[in-house]
Amino acid sequence: MTRPAARGGSRASADRLARLLNLVPYLLARPGIEIAEAAGDLGVTERQLREDLELLWVCGLPGYGPGDLIDMAFDGDRVTITYDAGIDRPLRLTPDEALALVVALRMLAETPGVANREAVERALAKIEDAGDLVGAPVAVRLPGDTRRVEALRAAVEGGKALRITYYTAARDETTDRVIDPLRMLMVGGRAYVEAWCRRAEAVRLFRADRIDAITELAEPATVPPQAVPHDLTEGVFRPSPDLPLITLRIGRSERWITEYYPCERVEAGDGDQWLVSLRVTDLGWARRFVLGLGPDATVVAPVELADQVRATAAAALDAYAVPTPTAAPRQPEADPENAPSGDPAVVGRTQ
């Protein structure tokens, strides 16, 4: 069993959806257009356009039978839309559809990193007004500390430098930093601020929920020319060959690792066990990660990591060990001659 390549294509899918939405009105305005000419106008290859046209065959109205789906006629290399499934008619939303769009747009407006928030808010206002949903009792909040995210967003929009107290999970340490924000973004359901870190002298990503304190400075953010935003199309963590590679033997209860972390190799072992190899930022993080797993996880490599896990586990067990009871001090033996009458020591000896 091997781990599939990193997943992608979400952006390509979004581009294709936008292209398909524009394709029908484009073809309606140009009946009998040559496919080559249409491909040139739309900025795609002829093969891609033909694939888009094949997809349109199965698009249309609910029912999805004859008379519901988009239809077209081909004459050699020319194409004409013969039935547009009502796509040329003004959109009419049901109350449920309008409310669903309001929720989605409010979520989009709250999402850090939205390129044009004003456009989203204008669209939201139009839908709310047209659907009589102004002031609808719908509140959308992203997970995490909303006030912290708003403070970061305000600093980004205002171009201000920030002083933050940040917890770095990889090294299990908290540091004070001055950063020059570049942008806010949402990755994997978490809010991040990407900024030039003056302490590291490099561009860094800071998770909003790991920022313990924020102070907006009076000085403007100063981003040097060499500060280039990260490519996050494949996620925040980008495994590379120079990072440490660890191998774990895991049982069924720990297989979630292969879905949550990018693994280089996943192989079936004996019984229900799997061998999993993945890159980590450093062995300190890997040690804490392994210690947080259940008893079905065992370090196979490297030996250094296994030794660290074993030593930390032993130290934890020692901390929980029950101390040996201290023996009570020995009482001096009583002198029978000087003992008062009735003394247990005397009675014990005379009986």
Side-chain angles (χ1 to χ4, degrees):
M1 182 189 310
T2 57
R3 183 73 176 173
R7 291 173 293 181
S10 58
R11 182 177 297 274
S13 298
D15 292 343
R16 190 179 191 189
L17 174 60
R19 190 169 63 247
L20 288 171
L21 291 174
N22 291 324
L23 183 55
V24 174
Y26 171 87
L27 294 177
L28 285 172
R30 299 165 179 81
I33 189 173
E34 290 187 353
I35 292 179
E37 180 183 351
D41 289 346
L42 297 171
V44 297
T45 64
E46 290 187 42
R47 177 180 178 182
Q48 181 62 67
L49 180 57
R50 290 183 183 276
E51 291 178 355
D52 290 344
L53 293 173
E54 290 176 0
L55 182 57
L56 284 178
W57 285 106
V58 294
C59 297
L61 301 172
Y64 308 108
D68 299 321
L69 301 177
I70 295 173
D71 201 0
M72 64 196 78
F74 290 90
D75 182 11
D77 287 335
R78 297 178 178 273
V79 61
T80 301
I81 296 290
T82 57
Y83 179 64
D84 58 21
I87 201 170
D88 62 334
R89 295 195 298 269
L91 179 63
R92 293 290 184 268
L93 299 175
T94 66
D96 288 344
E97 291 172 338
L99 186 59
L101 277 178
V102 167
V103 172
L105 286 171
R106 287 187 181 178
M107 175 66 77
L108 191 61
E110 291 292 327
T111 302
V114 173
N116 193 341
R117 194 179 180 189
E118 293 182 357
V120 174
E121 292 175 346
R122 288 197 302 269
L124 179 59
K126 291 179 180 178
I127 293 175
E128 288 179 333
D129 184 59
D132 195 22
L133 293 172
V134 177
V138 177
V140 176
R141 291 291 181 268
L142 294 175
D145 190 331
T146 304
R147 289 178 298 178
R148 184 185 293 119
V149 172
E150 286 297 333
L152 292 171
R153 178 185 288 151
V156 172
E157 294 175 353
K160 295 293 186 179
L162 295 174
R163 183 182 304 278
I164 64 173
T165 301
Y166 189 71
Y167 170 69
T168 304
R171 295 188 298 275
D172 191 25
E173 66 177 8
T174 300
T175 55
D176 291 324
R177 303 164 182 258
V178 175
I179 63 173
D180 301 295
L182 293 168
R183 58 176 177 166
M184 288 289 297
L185 60 158
M186 181 71 69
V187 182
R190 300 184 185 278
Y192 291 82
V193 59
E194 188 170 28
W196 175 262
C197 177
R198 299 184 188 179
R199 181 174 182 267
E201 296 186 345
V203 175
R204 292 288 186 265
L205 279 171
F206 300 97
R207 256 176 59 172
D209 59 347
R210 290 180 178 169
I211 298 177
D212 295 329
I214 305 173
T215 302
E216 185 175 304
L217 303 181
E219 60 183 287
T222 305
V223 181
Q226 66 269 29
V228 178
H230 294 91
D231 179 8
L232 301 176
T233 54
E234 301 296 336
V236 174
F237 179 65
R238 302 291 296 274
S240 60
D242 59 318
L243 293 177
L245 179 68
I246 69 171
T247 300
L248 307 176
R249 182 182 293 108
I250 62 174
R252 183 178 296 274
S253 61
E254 308 298 343
R255 290 183 182 179
W256 59 269
I257 294 173
T258 62
E259 299 295 332
Y260 195 82
Y261 295 97
C263 300
E264 290 198 358
R265 187 180 60 183
V266 178
E267 297 180 353
D270 298 334
D272 289 338
Q273 293 184 332
W274 286 3
L275 283 176
V276 178
S277 297
L278 63 155
R279 299 282 175 181
V280 296
T281 52
D282 57 54
L283 293 185
W285 180 91
R287 173 178 53 82
R288 294 189 297 275
F289 171 66
V290 173
L291 288 169
L293 298 176
D296 290 341
T298 304
V299 177
V300 177
V303 175
E304 179 185 357
L305 175 60
D307 292 341
Q308 291 181 10
V309 171
R310 187 180 301 108
T312 305
L317 290 174
D318 289 342
Y320 281 96
V322 178
T324 303
T326 305
R330 185 175 180 179
Q331 297 294 329
E333 294 185 1
D335 186 350
E337 296 181 359
N338 298 324
S341 176
D343 191 310
V346 176
V347 174
R349 284 199 175 105
T350 58
Q351 288 180 343

